[in-house]
Amino acid sequence: MTSSHDADSKGITRRQSLATLAGAGTLAVAGCTQSTEDGGDGSDGGSDALSGSINIAGSSTVFPLMSAIAEDFAAEHDQVSVDISSTGSGGGFSNYFCVGDTDFNNASREIQPAEEELCAENDVEYVELVAATDALTVVVNPEADWIDHLTVEELAQIWESDPVQTWDEVRDEFPNEEIERFGAADTSGTYDYFIESVLEERGHTSDYQATEQDNSIAQGVTGSEYAIGYFGFAYYFQNPDQLKALGIDDGNGPVEPSLETASSGEYTPLSRPLFTYPSIESLGNDHVAEFARYFVTQTTNEDLIAGDVGYVPATEETQEEQMETLEDAIEQAQE
């Protein structure tokens, strides 16, 4: 699988657009409409029977993927509006989805037991859909020519609850300079996954700049030669000249994050599945059900998922399984 750094102008425009959206953290899209009371030129501007609004919150990692799909869907269905907010996986579940205020929640990890309980308390039923595979990426300043990789243990020393304070405490040959940390907020699925895959019982330091916005992490890291941060691969993919991605050594030598290494399973332990969770009640609405179907069909779209966004597309087998799961949920919702 190859990335599309040499993509055509349409792909470049989409990637630049997604990078901007990732910084904004919100997106509202609707199809272009024409005012044609009498039909005007005889076309209907692409309108169809579907109409209504769709509200989506959750993961900042899934945000650029959902944004790209929502834009394409709205272009085909001009009476459907889609509003997407980047709130973090946990923030989306607890503050919006599991209290019945959104139709979908994006997540960069699976729903957790406490969130399942909250959804149950509010009679919110849902279905889990796999969106893509991500290579969670650790970045440093591009001028930091003294570092190109870290072991998982070194990464843990930097981010654990009682972390090292200077780079030479990580490795003797590193400079005696204070480590500046920029990472995901504790409402983020990326934060949860980082603890699960790297830190475990060691916990996560509170001595860092926490945010839900990937561009804020990037700005912090680009502002200091001695900074470090982590986020989903898509932001680095869309901004490769601003940051330096580190290889991660899980015992078999350093492996750099990429679409290829995430797809092959070489990039451990930071490769992870990404999800979206539609509400079954919301799937009772035709426009929501059709959007969910469209989302699943696009998960194997390599030009969009890999070329424009920067994630590994689902396999055909996974897509078929997800569509069966979705159709069962839609049938349940529309009985």
Side-chain angles (χ1 to χ4, degrees):
M1 181 179 300
T2 58
S3 61
S4 58
H5 288 287
D6 59 348
D8 61 21
S9 60
K10 181 176 182 290
I12 292 171
T13 300
R14 168 61 70 85
R15 284 178 55 186
Q16 291 171 338
S17 173
L18 291 173
T20 302
L21 287 172
T26 59
L27 174 70
V29 294
C32 297
T33 60
Q34 291 180 316
S35 178
T36 55
E37 290 184 12
D38 61 356
D41 61 1
S43 71
D44 60 6
S47 64
D48 57 21
L50 294 177
S51 65
S53 61
I54 301 172
N55 294 306
I56 304 171
S59 169
S60 60
T61 304
V62 182
F63 180 84
L65 171 58
M66 183 63 82
S67 298
I69 292 175
E71 285 185 336
D72 290 347
F73 181 84
E76 296 183 15
H77 303 284
D78 64 12
Q79 299 300 314
V80 178
S81 63
V82 186
D83 293 299
I84 311 171
S85 299
S86 174
T87 63
S89 303
F93 278 127
S94 61
N95 297 325
Y96 299 97
F97 185 76
C98 289
V99 295
D101 289 343
T102 49
D103 303 301
F104 290 74
N105 197 70
N106 298 327
S108 56
R109 43 78 172 164
E110 293 181 324
I111 189 170
Q112 297 183 339
E115 295 158 351
E116 292 177 326
E117 292 178 11
L118 181 60
C119 280
E121 289 172 6
N122 291 289
D123 297 321
V124 174
E125 296 181 277
Y126 52 83
V127 60
E128 179 184 274
L129 301 175
V130 176
T133 298
D134 175 36
L136 197 159
T137 302
V138 179
V139 294
V140 295
N141 189 284
E143 301 300 318
D145 57 5
W146 43 270
I147 184 172
D148 58 16
H149 75 276
L150 290 169
T151 67
V152 174
E153 173 58 28
E154 289 170 338
L155 195 58
Q157 291 172 11
I158 293 169
W159 288 97
E160 65 186 343
S161 57
D162 185 19
V164 296
Q165 296 300 315
T166 59
W167 281 105
D168 60 344
E169 293 180 77
V170 179
R171 201 181 297 172
D172 290 342
E173 62 264 32
F174 287 171
N176 180 19
E177 297 286 348
E178 184 177 352
I179 300 170
E180 296 183 58
R181 303 174 183 86
F182 298 84
D186 61 7
T187 53
S188 168
T190 298
Y191 172 93
D192 295 330
Y193 188 83
F194 196 79
I195 292 175
E196 176 186 332
S197 62
V198 174
L199 301 172
E200 299 179 327
E201 71 278 357
R202 296 160 79 156
H204 193 292
T205 181
S206 59
D207 182 19
Y208 76 112
Q209 296 295 314
T211 179
E212 284 296 347
Q213 304 307 322
D214 291 347
N215 71 319
S216 296
I217 296 173
Q219 289 169 3
V221 173
T222 56
S224 170
E225 182 180 347
Y226 305 106
I228 187 170
Y230 66 87
F231 45 44
F233 182 72
Y235 192 91
Y236 170 72
F237 179 79
Q238 293 155 11
N239 301 272
D241 298 328
Q242 295 183 15
L243 302 158
K244 179 178 181 178
L246 296 183
I248 302 299
D249 185 349
D250 194 21
N252 295 307
V255 177
E256 294 186 1
S258 70
L259 300 180
E260 292 79 10
T261 59
S263 178
S264 68
E266 296 173 78
Y267 185 65
T268 59
L270 295 180
S271 294
R272 57 176 176 165
L274 304 176
F275 306 92
T276 194
Y277 290 78
S279 157
I280 290 180
E281 181 178 357
S282 295
L283 291 173
N285 299 304
D286 288 341
H287 68 289
V288 178
E290 194 58 33
F291 177 77
R293 290 187 181 106
Y294 184 79
F295 181 90
V296 173
T297 65
Q298 293 304 299
T299 58
T300 54
N301 183 338
E302 187 164 336
D303 287 343
L304 186 151
I305 305 296
D308 290 343
V309 182
Y311 294 138
V312 178
T315 64
E316 295 287 346
E317 180 182 6
T318 296
Q319 184 196 60
E320 290 175 7
E321 293 172 352
Q322 297 298 290
M323 190 63 79
E324 289 178 9
T325 299
L326 175 62
E327 292 295 351
D328 287 346
I330 292 172
E331 182 179 354
Q332 175 186 340
Q334 298 186 354
E335 285 180 348

